[in-house]
Amino acid sequence: MTNLVLMPILIPFFGAIFLMLLPRKVMVQRVLAVITSAVLIGANIFLVYYVYQNGILVVTLGNWPAPYGISIVGDMLAILLVSTTSLVLLATLIYSFYTIGKPRERFLYYPAVLFMIVGVNGSFLTGDIFNLFVFFEVMLMASYVLLVLGGTKVQLKATVKYLLINVIGSAFLVMAIALMYSMVGTLNMADISQKISEIHGGNTGMITVVAVLFLFVFGLKAGIFPLYFWLPGSYFAPPIPVLALFGALLTKVGVYAIIRVYTLFFYNETSFALPLLSTLALITIMLGVIGAISYNDMKTIMIYNILIAVGVILFSVSLMTREAMTGAIFYLIHDMLIKGTLFLVIGTIIAITGFSSIKKFSGLMSVKPSLGWTFFIGALGLAGIPPLSGFIGKLLIVEGAFSVQNYVGGIVVLLSSLFVLLSMIKIFSKGFWGEKKGTFKLDIPYRKMMVPVLMLLAISVAYGIFSEGMYPLIEKAVDPLVDPSIYIQAVLGE
């Protein structure tokens, strides 16, 4: 049964390989891509149940014992994240049928999406720090293809920037891994955790250096201050389905990597690394707020809201308490769902109006009221209005901050909700209400486009309303984060 933990990696991998054999058969590619994502959801649901009942799943490839073999570790956090990823994937694939265009579909769009999911899921599941780098590269190579597919001038310019930044990030990641290996002599993450805890004396300073280096690398991918400068321009360029995948998943892989390495390796770095993470996270929230309320472009507003969420989650992680960590994980899953939903809603608005800027149109409520209310519910969820899922996550984060007397951070997180709501209400009030302005294209397949949107929105709303049912799963996900010995025991059997 332990081999089942490989399914979230193998299913999209073999799906992508098979689709590459059928590059011109668009309808076949669509059907097979959806079947692959549906099978992936089924496998992930079973894994959630199995891990909840039986504990962490570990498989070591090649039958080598840990820490010598490459470990794939399915703890509850990783399984919940790959499950959320598969839901966003299915919705985005269905949405792509009506929006991405056949020229892109013929140039291996669906295989590129599935290869990106291989990298995302592999990053969540790997128990080996070097293979985290490998899966990052798989994810990034697929994202380069998706970013440049279509070949518009804006896309090419954004791809060059995105490529350069990630090449630099990858080089620094290899440096960080090499430094870590020189100190502990292992790449297995559970073994690293165990050996770091035994280091005393002069080498503790080097551990802080490595902690900061990992924060730089993963912070670059997550979009934390001051490393977020590339994100608004690069994420603005691709078509909406690709932007939904990037916004919902890619930055969250960077966030997850910080959560994993800081809770396993650097939980004792309370003198410098963790305070640095907390400070940068709060600055990220504030700069995200400034960007979100300053712009009139819907895509740009949402991209800056990605930064706010990244800051909120990482601030909570820096507190290293059970309550704050529970809030961080709850909010992380919520944000993946709601960002995917809202980017698809914005894509539908752009398809109807022809514009991304709310200065170019208004009065959309008079022709598509269902779209308006869908956006409104999503906006309330993003801002954290009860009883939606954003409220529960932020409540736990604020309580966690106040419990350790970090009142400034708690207040910043609270105020961020107000500004997130303000930025979204600006879109709602200017774009949907008022006098009808602009030419609306009503011959789009609106109902078909709304099916995946409403599916994701319903899951997000249910996640908030039935949060008590999810709470045992979140608690189980948090256990290895606040007590690394659980993770170590599962992997090394010690």
Side-chain angles (χ1 to χ4, degrees):
M1 295 297 284
T2 56
N3 289 331
L4 287 172
V5 76
L6 297 171
M7 289 299 101
I9 300 170
L10 294 180
I11 290 170
F13 176 76
F14 286 115
I17 293 291
F18 193 71
L19 288 178
M20 288 183 75
L21 304 175
L22 305 163
R24 303 297 177 191
K25 298 183 178 179
V26 171
M27 290 306 298
V28 176
Q29 288 222 14
R30 289 178 178 178
V31 171
L32 290 178
V34 167
I35 290 172
T36 302
S37 61
V39 171
L40 185 59
I41 290 171
N44 289 332
I45 290 170
F46 177 76
L47 281 171
V48 169
Y49 170 78
Y50 190 87
V51 171
Y52 182 71
Q53 295 292 330
N54 300 284
I56 298 173
L57 269 174
V58 181
V59 61
T60 307
L61 305 182
N63 234 8
W64 287 84
Y68 307 108
I70 296 169
S71 297
I72 301 295
V73 184
D75 67 343
M76 184 57 79
L77 172 59
I79 299 301
L80 285 175
L81 292 180
V82 297
S83 301
T84 310
T85 297
S86 62
L87 293 170
V88 174
L89 170 66
L90 178 61
T92 308
L93 286 175
I94 296 170
Y95 191 86
S96 298
F97 298 167
Y98 314 107
T99 57
I100 200 71
K102 287 194 176 181
R104 284 190 176 98
E105 289 180 301
R106 290 194 184 99
F107 280 94
L108 303 178
Y109 169 75
Y110 296 109
V113 169
L114 291 179
F115 273 125
M116 193 183 86
I117 298 303
V118 171
V120 170
N121 286 352
S123 299
F124 290 146
L125 289 166
T126 185
D128 179 284
I129 193 69
F130 185 76
N131 278 281
L132 180 61
F133 163 74
V134 172
F135 282 118
F136 260 54
E137 292 308 299
V138 172
M139 176 184 77
L140 290 171
M141 282 189 285
S143 68
Y144 300 151
V145 174
L146 291 170
L147 190 57
V148 80
L149 208 58
T152 64
K153 186 178 178 181
V154 175
Q155 283 180 278
L156 293 172
K157 185 178 176 182
T159 303
V160 171
K161 186 195 300 183
Y162 183 75
L163 180 63
L164 286 173
I165 290 299
N166 282 293
V167 165
I168 292 166
S170 297
F172 274 97
L173 179 53
V174 173
M175 286 172 53
I177 292 169
L179 274 173
M180 178 70 79
Y181 186 77
S182 71
M183 287 190 292
V184 296
T186 182
L187 295 171
N188 184 282
M189 291 162 78
D191 202 31
I192 291 171
S193 178
Q194 199 170 53
K195 289 183 176 174
I196 279 184
S197 65
E198 297 167 0
I199 291 177
H200 305 287
N203 275 339
T204 53
M206 277 305 295
I207 291 173
T208 302
V209 171
V210 174
V212 173
L213 199 51
F214 272 118
L215 179 58
F216 169 77
V217 172
F218 297 138
L220 188 66
K221 299 183 189 302
I224 194 171
F225 172 85
L227 308 166
Y228 71 93
F229 57 89
W230 61 273
L231 195 145
S234 295
Y235 276 27
F236 186 85
I240 285 294
V242 176
L243 176 53
L245 286 170
F246 282 17
L249 304 180
L250 291 199
T251 50
K252 306 311 182 296
V253 176
V255 169
Y256 166 81
I258 293 172
I259 293 172
R260 184 62 81 192
V261 299
Y262 268 70
T263 55
L264 262 182
F265 306 163
F266 309 124
Y267 52 88
N268 287 325
E269 294 298 307
T270 53
S271 59
F272 186 78
L274 286 172
L276 176 65
L277 175 60
S278 177
T279 303
L280 295 181
L282 291 175
I283 296 172
T284 304
I285 294 171
M286 290 186 278
L287 291 175
V289 161
I290 292 168
I293 62 175
S294 300
Y295 286 93
N296 288 300
D297 186 277
M298 294 182 292
K299 285 161 69 174
T300 306
I301 290 169
M302 280 302 301
I303 289 165
Y304 276 100
N305 271 297
I306 292 172
L307 298 181
I308 297 171
V310 166
V312 168
I313 295 163
L314 292 180
F315 164 71
S316 186
V317 170
S318 71
L319 301 176
M320 286 290 169
T321 65
R322 172 172 284 276
E323 190 170 36
M325 205 67 75
T326 303
I329 302 309
F330 198 97
Y331 195 80
L332 174 59
I333 295 169
H334 144 80
D335 196 65
M336 292 168 73
L337 292 170
I338 203 68
K339 285 292 194 308
T341 304
L342 284 170
F343 274 120
L344 296 184
V345 172
I346 286 170
T348 308
I349 296 170
I350 294 170
I352 292 170
T353 63
F355 296 105
S356 182
S357 172
I358 50 177
K359 285 188 169 183
K360 301 287 181 69
F361 68 91
S362 62
L364 190 54
M365 188 66 86
S366 62
V367 290
K368 293 293 180 188
S370 58
L371 181 63
W373 295 120
T374 300
F375 177 84
F376 184 70
I377 294 168
L380 295 183
L382 183 68
I385 304 300
L388 302 173
S389 53
F391 169 75
I392 295 144
K394 278 196 177 174
L395 179 66
L396 289 167
I397 291 169
V398 171
E399 286 179 354
F402 287 171
S403 69
V404 294
Q405 285 80 51
N406 194 326
Y407 299 111
V408 173
I411 290 168
V412 169
V413 171
L414 270 177
L415 289 176
S416 73
S417 293
L418 180 64
F419 287 106
V420 167
L421 184 61
L422 185 65
S423 71
M424 301 309 287
I425 291 300
K426 178 168 68 174
I427 296 174
F428 186 66
S429 59
K430 291 186 177 180
F432 285 93
W433 295 106
E435 184 182 343
K436 187 177 173 183
K437 183 175 77 174
T439 303
F440 297 153
K441 186 180 177 183
L442 301 178
D443 59 346
I444 64 166
Y446 173 73
R447 290 184 179 179
K448 293 177 181 178
M449 290 167 68
M450 288 299 288
V451 168
V453 173
L454 294 173
M455 180 190 86
L456 267 189
L457 182 64
I459 293 168
S460 176
V461 171
Y463 181 57
I465 292 173
F466 302 108
S467 56
E468 286 208 10
M470 285 295 298
Y471 202 76
L473 301 178
I474 302 293
E475 281 285 288
K476 207 167 185 68
V478 169
D479 287 341
L481 303 181
V482 295
D483 183 6
S485 65
I486 297 172
Y487 188 94
I488 295 167
Q489 169 81 27
V491 176
L492 302 180
E494 296 175 6

